[in-house]
Amino acid sequence: MPNSPRKTTRTDAEPETPVESSLELAVFPLPIFLLPGGRQRLRIFEPKYLAMVAHAAQGDGFIIATQDNSNSDHLSSWGTKVTIVDFNMSDDQILEIDVEGEKLVQLHGSFRDDDDLIKSKFRSLPHWPAHEYKVPNVFTAFLVQLFRDHDSIRTLYPTPDFESPQWICARLLEMMPIPLEKKTEFTEPASFPSLVPFLNQIITGQ
């Protein structure tokens, strides 16, 4: 495929020298992919994560990062800083929280605290620049249909931005059944132009 992104990804790149920060946040290791502006509903029941949510709700949020299932101590070098936008108690009395991606971050100095909760310092990572892009109309139509077909998606996004090409492509990338490693390639700042033909091929088969 033309304009394919370079093979180096956030997960296998040599870590850049981070800007030292005094702020530490809890890291929630999850096998999900979330970009800035994306939302996810999480079920929280472990005591250490209930405590994490209680602290995050005061305004600092937390970080979602992927973890190697074969090695619980191998954490991705990057993650998504999220804020909590809603709380709910499920029918089975499990706390559910809706979180929204705020920004991509580089992790450094990760450690486990006395409660076995991962914490880390971090610095912001750039994502796609705010250039004017055009995407095929089929992208919008496909995403709108997903919203119509799935109540769970509509509930998460009360004010969807179907006018923004970046917002549309980010939500499609998050929702589509694409390997996490492949999705990660499109977190790089220069990756958006190659994302458009990639998504077009998946949606239209062309």
Side-chain angles (χ1 to χ4, degrees):
M1 182 184 302
N3 298 320
S4 59
R6 60 190 178 89
K7 293 299 183 183
T8 303
T9 67
R10 296 258 191 225
T11 48
D12 61 15
E14 288 296 322
E16 301 173 40
T17 303
V19 176
E20 291 298 326
S21 167
S22 60
L23 182 61
E24 286 176 354
L25 284 183
V27 180
F28 199 172
L30 291 170
I32 64 174
F33 180 80
L34 195 66
L35 293 173
R39 292 191 172 194
Q40 188 73 238
R41 178 162 293 174
L42 307 176
R43 287 166 59 85
I44 310 295
F45 50 88
E46 289 188 57
K48 64 181 179 180
Y49 293 125
L50 289 169
M52 176 193 76
V53 168
H55 179 77
Q58 299 174 17
D60 287 339
F62 59 93
I63 296 167
I64 293 177
T66 57
Q67 189 178 54
D68 188 340
N69 290 331
S70 64
N71 183 357
S72 62
D73 289 325
H74 186 265
L75 195 68
S76 172
S77 63
W78 71 280
T80 305
K81 184 179 181 297
V82 301
T83 54
I84 300 172
V85 295
D86 200 8
F87 292 86
N88 186 47
M89 193 65 71
S90 66
D91 293 338
D92 55 358
Q93 299 304 297
I94 298 293
L95 175 65
E96 295 180 337
I97 63 171
D98 293 347
V99 299
E100 180 172 297
E102 179 184 327
K103 59 185 176 181
L104 303 182
V105 295
Q106 178 92 42
L107 305 180
H108 64 102
S110 301
F111 67 96
R112 290 183 181 271
D113 68 9
D114 293 339
D115 296 320
D116 200 37
L117 189 66
I118 300 173
K119 291 185 176 178
S120 182
K121 290 185 170 68
F122 62 93
R123 70 176 183 89
S124 298
L125 286 172
H127 193 217
W128 304 328
H131 294 322
E132 289 295 326
Y133 292 104
K134 289 187 178 181
V135 298
N137 291 334
V138 68
F139 284 24
T140 307
F142 189 87
L143 187 60
V144 167
Q145 192 61 51
L146 284 176
F147 272 69
R148 289 174 177 167
D149 292 344
H150 299 281
D151 291 340
S152 58
I153 297 177
R154 289 200 306 275
T155 301
L156 279 175
Y157 295 97
T159 57
D161 188 1
F162 294 125
E163 299 299 319
S164 166
Q166 286 95 335
W167 193 91
I168 291 169
C169 288
R171 305 296 77 81
L172 289 172
L173 186 62
E174 291 166 346
M175 295 175 190
M176 285 185 167
I178 301 167
L180 184 60
E181 181 180 350
K182 184 64 179 178
K183 291 184 178 186
T184 301
E185 294 180 12
F186 298 107
T187 61
E188 296 292 342
S191 64
F192 189 83
S194 60
L195 174 60
V196 174
F198 175 76
L199 290 175
N200 190 62
Q201 185 179 53
I202 293 175
I203 294 172
T204 68
Q206 300 177 357

